[in-house]
Amino acid sequence: MLSYRHSFHAGNHADVLKHTVQSLIISALKEKDKPFLYLDTHAGAGRYLLNSEHAERTGEYMEGIARIWQQSDTPAELAPYLQAVRDLNPSGQLKYYPGSPLIARHLLREQDQLQLTELHPSDYPLLRGEFQKDLRAVVARGDGYQQLKAKLPPPSRRGLILIDPPYEIKTDYQAVVQGIAEGYKRFSTGVYALWYPVVLRQQIKRMVADLKDTGIRRILQIELAVKPDSDQRGMTASGMIVINPPWKLEQQMRSVLPWLHEQLVPQGIGHTLVEWIVPE
């Protein structure tokens, strides 16, 4: 398929949620000196130009990152994420948006490692160019799900695995569960963060049921909806499913999500959610 380009959606409400969660997990992993692996299965281009034809065509970032990045009263939970955005835009004009690999690059330490995979023929060279001078990073072109077999467990036995597929085809909803199950068999102590879009609620319910059936414990669901569920075309919400979340993450998201919802959805529609799919 490979028609999906994240450049149309960079910086939207789903990115704000995803990168907030990602930043908080990385910050928690950094509380111990021991190095860890950041593995990104569907890394994208890395950096997105917000005045590009793609981004301007949808303008989604205007209802996402543009609403919060320069506010003075942002909750402390957003500090690592927003600093990564600001550092990419030192002029004070919102020109670039960092994808998850650049968020990770900003937050990781010298001793940590990045393993980035992208399949798209246009995005892969951009990603490789972005990281060519970063000795911590390995950039591969290939199937991100295969990395869950090939690269786990890391030597440090610590890591964050971000799984963020385009969901272009319906089988992606099953593939992510199979990929997580494969990775978990090899590396049961890793933190797995799975992003999902809510286009049809039934697809998410099935995916959650499939995750429960894996027998994996400690699965937390975090969701931000900007519209009510609908059977019409288009994403109404997005979420993150986190396996082995850092102990603070549940409370951090309970604290910050209402503020994010208020800023991103001033009409007050939609919802927020933080709940355990499977507890300890």
Side-chain angles (χ1 to χ4, degrees), residues 95 157 187 251:
K95 184 178 180 183
R157 301 285 173 166
F187 184 37
Q251 190 51 51

Side-chain angles (χ1 to χ4, degrees), residues 12 70 91 93 104 141-142 170 175 200 205 208 210 216 254:
N12 68 0
Q70 284 186 316
S91 71
Q93 299 296 312
R141 185 172 180 208
K170 288 182 180 177
L200 290 173
K205 287 182 175 178
V208 167
D210 290 344
I216 295 171
R254 287 190 190 282

Side-chain angles (χ1 to χ4, degrees), residues 32-151:
K32 292 184 179 177
D33 291 336
K34 195 175 178 185
F36 62 89
L37 172 70
Y38 170 77
L39 192 159
D40 202 322
T41 61
H42 299 75
R47 175 191 302 250
Y48 301 97
L49 183 63
L50 293 177
N51 62 4
S52 71
E53 180 191 350
H54 287 186
E56 289 287 3
R57 192 185 304 178
T58 62
E60 290 182 17
Y61 73 93
M62 294 300 295
E63 296 182 348
I65 187 60
R67 288 190 167 164
I68 64 169
W69 83 294
Q70 284 186 316
Q71 288 208 32
S72 58
D73 61 341
T74 49
E77 292 86 354
L78 293 175
Y81 162 50
L82 293 180
Q83 194 57 51
V85 177
R86 292 186 190 117
D87 284 359
L88 203 59
N89 297 280
S91 71
Q93 299 296 312
L94 186 58
K95 184 178 180 183
Y96 295 108
Y97 186 78
S100 49
L102 262 64
I103 300 272
R105 181 172 73 186
H106 176 82
L107 293 173
L108 262 59
R109 305 161 300 183
E110 279 187 31
Q111 66 264 41
D112 303 320
Q113 298 286 309
L114 298 95
Q115 179 73 45
L116 311 172
T117 308
E118 179 52 48
L119 190 57
H120 198 287
S122 300
D123 285 349
Y124 168 71
L126 297 171
L127 183 69
R128 186 182 58 193
E130 192 72 52
F131 282 87
Q132 61 186 358
K133 295 180 180 177
D134 193 331
L135 299 178
R136 302 170 300 173
V138 175
V139 181
R141 185 172 180 208
D143 178 353
Y145 297 122
Q146 291 301 317
Q147 304 299 311
L148 298 171
K149 298 179 182 178
K151 302 300 179 185

